Amino acid sequence: MPPKVKITKTMILNAVLAITRETGFESVNARSIANKLQCSTRPLFTCYENMEELKKDFLDFAFEYYNQYAANYDISTKIKPCLLLPLSYIAFAQEETYLFKLLFIEDMDLDMAIANDFYKEIGNVEKANLFSERIGVELERAKKIFLDLFLYSHGIAVLTATGKISLDHKDIEKMLLNFLSAFTK
């Protein structure tokens, strides 16, 4: 008799990723994951105490998937370096709509009582530093521009992911360049 395949957390997370990409995170439950893995639900609860624990783990996994997408976008496109973050973010909304909605609309962990709270979020200061270097503007001014650019890009991405607008890459790039040129003069 062949040995039973051991279901791992990575296998479960990849199954949740596949389901989410296909039909949205609201389709994820123990039965849909088990069906995707062609197993019973028992192995899921061997790896995870409950669905909430799995969801928390999956959000980290999905965010890492987004980070890898953004890094690959950097490699695969020839655009101005200062546009890499906003263009990859909007492209993710276009190409990975369900994941974008989950990560950046439904479960977005951003609490901004004031504008500078944006920089309390992990990674945003580093991104602003890189942005400052790319546009050749001193850091404090670049942080203001970067925040405004994020808000502008987020608006475009949300409208894209919710099907309210449909813009091609060149139009989006032109809009972002116009935005940046207005703020960097």
Side-chain angles (χ1 to χ4, degrees):
M1 178 173 5
K4 288 189 175 185
V5 174
K6 183 175 184 318
I7 302 297
T8 65
K9 282 188 174 188
T10 301
M11 293 167 69
I12 294 168
L13 293 172
N14 280 314
V16 174
L17 179 67
I19 295 165
T20 303
R21 292 178 73 204
E22 292 165 12
T23 56
F25 190 74
E26 59 277 352
S27 300
V28 173
N29 56 48
R31 186 165 310 283
S32 67
I33 299 167
N35 286 341
K36 188 61 116 175
L37 293 170
Q38 298 179 336
C39 68
S40 71
T41 59
R42 184 176 176 91
L44 306 180
F45 297 108
T46 301
C47 292
Y48 289 99
E49 194 171 309
N50 55 44
M51 290 301 288
E52 279 305 307
E53 181 185 1
L54 188 148
K55 180 180 180 180
K56 182 185 176 311
D57 210 10
F58 176 68
L59 288 174
D60 293 338
F61 185 80
F63 194 71
E64 189 51 43
Y65 180 87
Y66 162 73
N67 285 333
Q68 192 59 52
Y69 175 94
N72 290 341
Y73 189 87
D74 186 3
I75 294 165
S76 68
T77 58
K78 291 182 177 14
I79 54 173
K80 293 183 181 225
C82 62
L83 295 180
L84 282 173
L85 285 172
L87 283 174
S88 64
Y89 187 73
I90 295 167
F92 189 75
Q94 290 172 322
E95 296 170 21
E96 297 286 356
T97 302
Y98 290 123
L99 279 173
F100 178 86
K101 286 179 181 178
L102 175 66
L103 292 172
F104 301 112
I105 298 175
E106 296 161 12
D107 272 5
M108 187 174 202
D109 190 20
L110 182 63
D111 187 15
M112 286 179 52
I114 59 171
N116 277 343
D117 286 348
F118 178 74
Y119 291 104
K120 291 180 182 175
E121 298 297 317
I122 295 171
N124 285 349
V125 171
E126 291 81 7
K127 290 174 186 172
N129 279 317
L130 183 59
F131 181 74
S132 173
E133 293 170 16
R134 287 178 174 168
I135 65 170
V137 172
E138 62 95 26
L139 182 59
E140 286 311 306
R141 184 160 174 250
K143 284 171 81 174
K144 289 178 175 129
I145 297 169
F146 185 71
L147 172 58
D148 290 344
L149 180 61
F150 165 75
L151 294 172
Y152 185 66
S153 301
H154 182 67
I156 293 170
V158 169
L159 290 169
T160 298
T162 57
K164 304 299 180 193
I165 61 172
S166 179
L167 301 169
D168 71 12
H169 176 80
K170 289 293 176 197
D171 288 336
I172 295 168
E173 188 173 351
K174 201 179 302 179
M175 291 168 66
L176 293 171
L177 283 171
N178 289 341
F179 178 90
L180 276 176
S181 68
F183 278 91
T184 56
K185 285 184 179 177

